[in-house]
Amino acid sequence: MGESNIVFFSLKGTDLPLAKNVAARLNISLGVMDCGFFSNQETKLTISSSVRNKDVYVMQVIQGEPNDCIMELLMMCYALKTACCRRVIAVVPYLPYSKQSKMRNRGAIPAKLFAQLLCRAGMDHMLTLDLHSKEVQGFYDCPVDNLRASPFLIQCIQERIRRYQEAVVVARHPGCAARANAFAERLQLNIAVLHGEHIHEDSDLCDGRQSPPAIRRSRFTSESSAECTVHIGDYENYGSELSTTYLLNLEHGLPTKVKKPLAIVGDVRNKIAIIVEDIVDDATMIVDAALILINGGALSVYVVATHGLFSGNSLKLIMDSKIEEVIVTNTLPLEHILTKCPKIRQVDISSVLSEAVRRIHNCESMSYLFRNIPLED
């Protein structure tokens, strides 16, 4: 690719390994800019390279405080538009706030707010990798290319895990079953699901409301010993006759959900278990899942995920756990973590990002990058 009408910036500096690899594959040099803080911690940004009438690609790798990274990206998009660039294409391998895409307990929907801010700041195109919720693409008023890391992870499984043909793909909870099943089909393996007392972090939390609402007063009439009906005068919308069971539900609320003890649905005995995730944030859940799999007869446990956040004391939990290895991509910089936790292995995905940038710039089809990749990946 020529550098006559394209500029590639890295908001985290020219020393970022992922940005350097992408620029090297595209045979272009990184643009010159400076991003930092004033003494009062306000973000400052200066662009030194000319961007007039050029396509500008801005890579923002979330590192440190995510809110600071968001402000840097917003200011960069606005500054580039002010400098009369042709298009602003944001390359954000891990999109922050993508997990907060639903309304909960009168709360906000930060994923939509972030999308609206970026579009208003001047972003014309978004390039990201493995969104936690694919519906987030609908929040943007511009094209969003959601690339997949599954081909790289599957290749790493085939190269790193001995006798992977005898393994079983595990979904940590039923919500991950579709993604785990996609991996299992491509590896030609069986699938197992952990089901029980673990509450999925995306489950809809109770906000105190009941549907249908409780009935304030009613009058029973017994027609027979087999069935008892009730006449309700205050709520005409529900009809004149309701069964006793339905009435009890109305008066006392719906039955409370009771989680059974966590159990393995599927056969993992004498097999290698491969837990498939999209984000590894707090490692408590996967560590507990690994212990259950080992107790269930699994020989060893591997974890495969796209984004490795490893927040809190995740590194210590992983080191002390039964997990053999955690395989993640380099959407987030983990150089300082790899030396502390030898169980973590990183896969480079710069090739798919660079190919996506090349195809967008040359107005070529992106469907080639999704060939043989199911929607569940």
Side-chain angles (χ1 to χ4, degrees), residues 222-228 244:
S222 178
E223 301 293 345
S224 65
S225 58
E227 183 177 357
C228 179
T244 303

Side-chain angles (χ1 to χ4, degrees), residues 348-366:
D348 183 29
I349 44 88
S350 60
S351 59
V352 69
L353 290 177
S354 58
E355 180 63 15
V357 170
R358 190 193 68 81
R359 287 178 175 272
I360 293 173
H361 183 67
N362 294 330
C363 300
E364 298 179 11
S365 173
M366 296 285 286

Side-chain angles (χ1 to χ4, degrees), residues 1-3 22-29:
M1 293 177 59
E3 298 188 13
V22 172
R25 290 178 181 274
L26 295 173
N27 195 25
I28 59 177
S29 57

Side-chain angles (χ1 to χ4, degrees), residues 151-191:
F152 300 90
L153 298 174
I154 289 174
Q155 181 181 358
C156 187
I157 289 173
Q158 294 171 335
E159 294 175 353
R160 291 287 300 176
I161 302 178
R162 296 180 180 180
R163 298 188 304 166
Y164 77 90
Q165 298 88 345
E166 303 173 8
V168 58
V169 179
V170 179
R172 185 174 57 81
H173 52 79
C176 293
R179 179 177 174 86
N181 185 61
F183 273 65
E185 289 179 350
R186 297 169 70 184
L187 290 168
Q188 300 180 10
L189 301 175
N190 292 327
I191 183 175

